[in-house]
Amino acid sequence: QVRLQESGPGLVKPLQTLSLSCSVSGASVNRGNNYWTWIRQPVGKGLEWIGRIYTSGSTNYNPSLKSRVTMSVDMSKNQFSLKLASVTAADTAIYYCARDNYECDRSNCYPRHDYWGQGTLVTVSS
Amino acid sequence: QSVLTQSPSASGTPGQTVTISCSGSSSNIGSNIVNWYQQLPGSAPTLLIYNYNQRPSGVSDRISASKSGTSASLAISGLQSEDEAEYYCASWDDSLNGWVFGEGTKLTVL
């Protein structure tokens, strides 16, 4: 069974950098057709895709956050990380890590977020 | 404001069939797969449907989905109280080069 678990500070001051890690068990971050993803959800609101990273280190980021986002993978710890710089109150949200798995047949690949962490609330406040 | 549009709410009585819609554009639903997620109160989202209408193991066959053009829909038949949750559609967007989600539809079982 694949499990993901977010960790990091629950409170970040404005203009500082939010840093979260996601520990993966039951799967290897350096194997398989998987992108490792961050998604956030302001309390009481909808889901927003932040971005994803592949084993090779290639990334895709949400254009609206791209200038402030950095993602990385640590294969030795089997985890991946998110850094979001210059945070404001608008970045207060539940942050989820998830696996974006590509199941492929001979003709197509079918991506989906099949495993999610439980989420961690990050509040931006002084 | 989300790229994919969903009605904020839907409701039905036990046993009924409810349909939730998701509207997008040619850069997302019109040219890519649609996935659906269920989020129970206080929990993380879980995958409900992928590749338009495929159910992961463990998901009830009361759940089905379809796509037509730039819109998709999720149907839940034989509605049960345990179906009360928020439902999100998602698709890859070629213009944004990333995943986009719907705003979510809150399903209430009356």
PDB file of all heavy atoms in Angstrom, chain A residues 101-105 107-112, chain B residues 33 35 50-52:
ATOM      1  N   ASN A 101       0.127   9.272 -11.154  1.00  0.00           N
ATOM      2  CA  ASN A 101       0.567   8.018 -11.767  1.00  0.00           C
ATOM      3  C   ASN A 101       0.067   7.898 -13.192  1.00  0.00           C
ATOM      4  O   ASN A 101      -1.104   8.160 -13.475  1.00  0.00           O
ATOM      5  CB  ASN A 101       0.043   6.839 -10.938  1.00  0.00           C
ATOM      6  CG  ASN A 101       0.315   5.502 -11.587  1.00  0.00           C
ATOM      7  OD1 ASN A 101      -0.568   4.875 -12.166  1.00  0.00           O
ATOM      8  ND2 ASN A 101       1.563   5.081 -11.529  1.00  0.00           N
ATOM      9  N   TYR A 102       0.963   7.528 -14.099  1.00  0.00           N
ATOM     10  CA  TYR A 102       0.600   7.310 -15.495  1.00  0.00           C
ATOM     11  C   TYR A 102       0.512   5.808 -15.754  1.00  0.00           C
ATOM     12  O   TYR A 102       1.520   5.104 -15.782  1.00  0.00           O
ATOM     13  CB  TYR A 102       1.646   7.940 -16.422  1.00  0.00           C
ATOM     14  CG  TYR A 102       1.451   9.421 -16.618  1.00  0.00           C
ATOM     15  CD1 TYR A 102       1.588  10.304 -15.546  1.00  0.00           C
ATOM     16  CD2 TYR A 102       1.122   9.949 -17.861  1.00  0.00           C
ATOM     17  CE1 TYR A 102       1.396  11.673 -15.716  1.00  0.00           C
ATOM     18  CE2 TYR A 102       0.929  11.318 -18.049  1.00  0.00           C
ATOM     19  CZ  TYR A 102       1.070  12.176 -16.958  1.00  0.00           C
ATOM     20  OH  TYR A 102       0.882  13.513 -17.128  1.00  0.00           O
ATOM     21  N   GLU A 103      -0.727   5.339 -15.928  1.00  0.00           N
ATOM     22  CA  GLU A 103      -0.958   3.947 -16.305  1.00  0.00           C
ATOM     23  C   GLU A 103      -1.036   3.909 -17.828  1.00  0.00           C
ATOM     24  O   GLU A 103      -1.851   4.603 -18.413  1.00  0.00           O
ATOM     25  CB  GLU A 103      -2.254   3.433 -15.686  1.00  0.00           C
ATOM     26  CG  GLU A 103      -2.583   2.001 -16.023  1.00  0.00           C
ATOM     27  CD  GLU A 103      -3.921   1.583 -15.423  1.00  0.00           C
ATOM     28  OE1 GLU A 103      -3.947   1.185 -14.246  1.00  0.00           O
ATOM     29  OE2 GLU A 103      -4.941   1.687 -16.142  1.00  0.00           O
ATOM     30  N   CYS A 104      -0.148   3.129 -18.454  1.00  0.00           N
ATOM     31  CA  CYS A 104      -0.065   3.170 -19.911  1.00  0.00           C
ATOM     32  C   CYS A 104      -0.382   1.820 -20.530  1.00  0.00           C
ATOM     33  O   CYS A 104       0.019   0.776 -20.005  1.00  0.00           O
ATOM     34  CB  CYS A 104       1.329   3.620 -20.344  1.00  0.00           C
ATOM     35  SG  CYS A 104       1.791   5.248 -19.743  1.00  0.00           S
ATOM     36  N   ASP A 105      -1.101   1.858 -21.668  1.00  0.00           N
ATOM     37  CA  ASP A 105      -1.247   0.661 -22.485  1.00  0.00           C
ATOM     38  C   ASP A 105      -0.470   0.893 -23.778  1.00  0.00           C
ATOM     39  O   ASP A 105       0.340   1.806 -23.849  1.00  0.00           O
ATOM     40  CB  ASP A 105      -2.718   0.323 -22.728  1.00  0.00           C
ATOM     41  CG  ASP A 105      -3.486   1.450 -23.406  1.00  0.00           C
ATOM     42  OD1 ASP A 105      -2.853   2.266 -24.130  1.00  0.00           O
ATOM     43  OD2 ASP A 105      -4.711   1.519 -23.242  1.00  0.00           O
ATOM     44  N   SER A 107      -1.320   2.168 -26.507  1.00  0.00           N
ATOM     45  CA  SER A 107      -1.617   3.347 -27.313  1.00  0.00           C
ATOM     46  C   SER A 107      -1.658   4.652 -26.515  1.00  0.00           C
ATOM     47  O   SER A 107      -1.414   5.721 -27.074  1.00  0.00           O
ATOM     48  CB  SER A 107      -2.958   3.169 -28.026  1.00  0.00           C
ATOM     49  OG  SER A 107      -3.973   2.856 -27.088  1.00  0.00           O
ATOM     50  N   ASN A 108      -1.971   4.596 -25.238  1.00  0.00           N
ATOM     51  CA  ASN A 108      -2.159   5.818 -24.468  1.00  0.00           C
ATOM     52  C   ASN A 108      -1.714   5.668 -23.026  1.00  0.00           C
ATOM     53  O   ASN A 108      -1.546   4.563 -22.531  1.00  0.00           O
ATOM     54  CB  ASN A 108      -3.643   6.221 -24.478  1.00  0.00           C
ATOM     55  CG  ASN A 108      -4.022   6.976 -25.731  1.00  0.00           C
ATOM     56  OD1 ASN A 108      -3.383   7.968 -26.085  1.00  0.00           O
ATOM     57  ND2 ASN A 108      -5.044   6.502 -26.410  1.00  0.00           N
ATOM     58  N   CYS A 109      -1.548   6.797 -22.391  1.00  0.00           N
ATOM     59  CA  CYS A 109      -1.296   6.828 -20.946  1.00  0.00           C
ATOM     60  C   CYS A 109      -2.447   7.560 -20.251  1.00  0.00           C
ATOM     61  O   CYS A 109      -3.004   8.507 -20.810  1.00  0.00           O
ATOM     62  CB  CYS A 109       0.017   7.528 -20.634  1.00  0.00           C
ATOM     63  SG  CYS A 109       1.483   6.573 -21.098  1.00  0.00           S
ATOM     64  N   TYR A 110      -2.764   7.098 -19.054  1.00  0.00           N
ATOM     65  CA  TYR A 110      -3.926   7.610 -18.340  1.00  0.00           C
ATOM     66  C   TYR A 110      -3.480   8.113 -16.972  1.00  0.00           C
ATOM     67  O   TYR A 110      -3.351   7.347 -16.030  1.00  0.00           O
ATOM     68  CB  TYR A 110      -4.973   6.501 -18.197  1.00  0.00           C
ATOM     69  CG  TYR A 110      -5.226   5.804 -19.514  1.00  0.00           C
ATOM     70  CD1 TYR A 110      -4.754   4.511 -19.756  1.00  0.00           C
ATOM     71  CD2 TYR A 110      -5.900   6.457 -20.532  1.00  0.00           C
ATOM     72  CE1 TYR A 110      -4.964   3.894 -20.970  1.00  0.00           C
ATOM     73  CE2 TYR A 110      -6.115   5.839 -21.755  1.00  0.00           C
ATOM     74  CZ  TYR A 110      -5.648   4.561 -21.973  1.00  0.00           C
ATOM     75  OH  TYR A 110      -5.850   3.962 -23.167  1.00  0.00           O
ATOM     76  N   PRO A 111      -3.194   9.398 -16.885  1.00  0.00           N
ATOM     77  CA  PRO A 111      -2.698   9.933 -15.618  1.00  0.00           C
ATOM     78  C   PRO A 111      -3.803  10.162 -14.606  1.00  0.00           C
ATOM     79  O   PRO A 111      -4.945  10.475 -14.971  1.00  0.00           O
ATOM     80  CB  PRO A 111      -2.076  11.272 -16.055  1.00  0.00           C
ATOM     81  CG  PRO A 111      -2.906  11.690 -17.223  1.00  0.00           C
ATOM     82  CD  PRO A 111      -3.284  10.427 -17.930  1.00  0.00           C
ATOM     83  N   ARG A 112      -3.465   9.991 -13.343  1.00  0.00           N
ATOM     84  CA  ARG A 112      -4.434  10.263 -12.268  1.00  0.00           C
ATOM     85  C   ARG A 112      -3.687  10.409 -10.959  1.00  0.00           C
ATOM     86  O   ARG A 112      -2.636   9.834 -10.777  1.00  0.00           O
ATOM     87  CB  ARG A 112      -5.454   9.139 -12.151  1.00  0.00           C
ATOM     88  CG  ARG A 112      -4.855   7.796 -11.732  1.00  0.00           C
ATOM     89  CD  ARG A 112      -4.331   6.996 -12.904  1.00  0.00           C
ATOM     90  NE  ARG A 112      -3.544   5.845 -12.491  1.00  0.00           N
ATOM     91  CZ  ARG A 112      -4.039   4.619 -12.360  1.00  0.00           C
ATOM     92  NH1 ARG A 112      -5.307   4.395 -12.596  1.00  0.00           N
ATOM     93  NH2 ARG A 112      -3.255   3.633 -11.969  1.00  0.00           N
TER      94      ARG A 112
ATOM     95  N   ILE B  33      -7.913  13.609 -20.841  1.00  0.00           N
ATOM     96  CA  ILE B  33      -8.789  12.802 -19.989  1.00  0.00           C
ATOM     97  C   ILE B  33      -9.349  13.648 -18.850  1.00  0.00           C
ATOM     98  O   ILE B  33      -8.842  14.739 -18.547  1.00  0.00           O
ATOM     99  CB  ILE B  33      -8.046  11.576 -19.434  1.00  0.00           C
ATOM    100  CG1 ILE B  33      -6.814  12.027 -18.629  1.00  0.00           C
ATOM    101  CG2 ILE B  33      -7.640  10.629 -20.520  1.00  0.00           C
ATOM    102  CD1 ILE B  33      -7.046  12.252 -17.169  1.00  0.00           C
ATOM    103  N   ASN B  35     -10.611  13.227 -14.787  1.00  0.00           N
ATOM    104  CA  ASN B  35     -10.678  12.426 -13.574  1.00  0.00           C
ATOM    105  C   ASN B  35     -11.657  13.080 -12.606  1.00  0.00           C
ATOM    106  O   ASN B  35     -11.887  14.287 -12.661  1.00  0.00           O
ATOM    107  CB  ASN B  35      -9.293  12.330 -12.904  1.00  0.00           C
ATOM    108  CG  ASN B  35      -8.271  11.621 -13.786  1.00  0.00           C
ATOM    109  OD1 ASN B  35      -8.616  10.780 -14.621  1.00  0.00           O
ATOM    110  ND2 ASN B  35      -7.009  11.979 -13.599  1.00  0.00           N
ATOM    111  N   TYR B  50     -11.083   7.673 -13.274  1.00  0.00           N
ATOM    112  CA  TYR B  50      -9.974   8.169 -14.082  1.00  0.00           C
ATOM    113  C   TYR B  50     -10.186   7.751 -15.533  1.00  0.00           C
ATOM    114  O   TYR B  50     -10.986   6.858 -15.829  1.00  0.00           O
ATOM    115  CB  TYR B  50      -8.622   7.668 -13.551  1.00  0.00           C
ATOM    116  CG  TYR B  50      -8.393   6.176 -13.666  1.00  0.00           C
ATOM    117  CD1 TYR B  50      -7.657   5.635 -14.710  1.00  0.00           C
ATOM    118  CD2 TYR B  50      -8.898   5.299 -12.704  1.00  0.00           C
ATOM    119  CE1 TYR B  50      -7.436   4.273 -14.806  1.00  0.00           C
ATOM    120  CE2 TYR B  50      -8.684   3.940 -12.796  1.00  0.00           C
ATOM    121  CZ  TYR B  50      -7.955   3.428 -13.837  1.00  0.00           C
ATOM    122  OH  TYR B  50      -7.743   2.072 -13.929  1.00  0.00           O
ATOM    123  N   ASN B  51      -9.500   8.407 -16.436  1.00  0.00           N
ATOM    124  CA  ASN B  51      -9.636   8.117 -17.854  1.00  0.00           C
ATOM    125  C   ASN B  51     -11.109   8.097 -18.267  1.00  0.00           C
ATOM    126  O   ASN B  51     -11.598   7.128 -18.833  1.00  0.00           O
ATOM    127  CB  ASN B  51      -8.949   6.789 -18.204  1.00  0.00           C
ATOM    128  CG  ASN B  51      -8.950   6.509 -19.695  1.00  0.00           C
ATOM    129  OD1 ASN B  51      -9.010   7.445 -20.502  1.00  0.00           O
ATOM    130  ND2 ASN B  51      -8.920   5.245 -20.065  1.00  0.00           N
ATOM    131  N   TYR B  52     -11.786   9.181 -17.952  1.00  0.00           N
ATOM    132  CA  TYR B  52     -13.186   9.402 -18.282  1.00  0.00           C
ATOM    133  C   TYR B  52     -14.144   8.550 -17.458  1.00  0.00           C
ATOM    134  O   TYR B  52     -15.065   9.064 -16.847  1.00  0.00           O
ATOM    135  CB  TYR B  52     -13.471   9.152 -19.774  1.00  0.00           C
ATOM    136  CG  TYR B  52     -12.617   9.944 -20.711  1.00  0.00           C
ATOM    137  CD1 TYR B  52     -11.750   9.315 -21.594  1.00  0.00           C
ATOM    138  CD2 TYR B  52     -12.664  11.334 -20.712  1.00  0.00           C
ATOM    139  CE1 TYR B  52     -10.949  10.056 -22.455  1.00  0.00           C
ATOM    140  CE2 TYR B  52     -11.869  12.075 -21.564  1.00  0.00           C
ATOM    141  CZ  TYR B  52     -11.016  11.429 -22.441  1.00  0.00           C
ATOM    142  OH  TYR B  52     -10.218  12.157 -23.279  1.00  0.00           O
TER     143      TYR B  52
END
